[in-house]
Amino acid sequence: GCCIQDLGERWMRRQIPVTVITGAAGADGTTVLKRLLSSDGDTRLSAIVPKRSRKKKRSGRDPSVIPTTEHLVRLGQGCSCCTVRGDVMTKVHRIAEDQSADHILIQATPQADLRTLAKTFTVPDGQGVVLADFAQIGSLVTVVDLASFLDVLEGSGARALVERIEL
């Protein structure tokens, strides 16, 4: 009885669309993210962003911006294929439970493993809950600085940037 009702309620909820914003060093998507958050649309946005190491606290922080520190967790049988971003899992689950956003933006650092981030939405947590029941990655935006794009392609960061663009 109760399990079927819980499952039915879970399927009746609309999945929250998620956009992942990433880029290369120097073009990490912060400007794009700020523009999206300041837009005058009717969509309630929440952004999960890397926590910046700053000595002084910012006053008047935007409640829709949720800082995070990357935390990898091995679920399932503890194998590397079940490694997920525990920090993102917790924060997305909280946003879904609170119904505080119509769309979630996740800013991934240039060093972040995007495949691990994507798996975070498909691997069940310790209670068997899968984020894809509540939220689903709909798009991945790779920000590039056109002025320095060719220089980056000729430098040591070329492979990483090309992989991000391919994803």
Side-chain angles (χ1 to χ4, degrees):
C2 71
C3 294
I4 294 172
Q5 182 181 358
D6 289 347
L7 182 61
E9 287 176 14
R10 200 182 322 172
W11 284 110
M12 288 179 65
R13 284 188 218 150
R14 184 182 66 81
Q15 286 179 315
I16 301 171
V18 176
T19 299
V20 177
I21 300 173
T22 188
D28 62 1
T30 301
T31 302
V32 173
L33 185 76
K34 285 179 182 177
R35 282 193 182 158
L36 289 170
L37 289 172
S38 66
S39 68
D40 290 335
D42 293 335
T43 303
R44 296 175 304 145
L45 297 173
S46 282
I48 300 170
V49 301
K51 189 177 283 185
R52 307 278 190 233
S53 57
R54 295 203 172 138
K55 293 187 181 188
K56 61 179 182 176
K57 289 186 177 183
R58 290 181 282 167
S59 60
R61 287 191 358 181
D62 185 346
S64 65
V65 176
I66 304 163
T68 192
T69 301
E70 185 173 324
H71 177 68
L72 299 177
V73 177
R74 286 190 177 183
L75 298 174
Q77 300 297 318
C79 57
S80 62
C81 65
C82 292
T83 299
V84 299
R85 290 274 307 267
D87 59 309
V88 169
M89 188 175 273
T90 300
K91 288 171 177 34
V92 169
H93 193 261
R94 187 177 322 130
I95 292 168
E97 274 187 345
D98 296 346
Q99 297 180 4
S100 58
D102 301 319
H103 196 109
I104 299 171
L105 305 170
I106 299 175
Q107 183 183 20
T109 65
Q111 301 79 26
D113 181 351
L114 298 178
R115 287 179 176 85
T116 298
L117 180 60
K119 280 191 293 183
T120 301
F121 287 80
T122 61
V123 175
D125 68 7
Q127 288 74 43
V129 176
V130 179
L131 271 188
D133 289 345
F134 310 106
Q136 184 174 23
I137 296 176
S139 55
L140 168 65
V141 177
T142 302
V143 178
V144 294
D145 177 16
L146 195 54
S148 64
F149 184 65
L150 292 177
D151 291 336
V152 172
L153 287 180
E154 293 172 357
S156 61
R159 183 169 181 80
L161 180 58
V162 169
E163 284 179 10
R164 287 190 165 332
I165 293 170
E166 287 176 345
L167 282 173

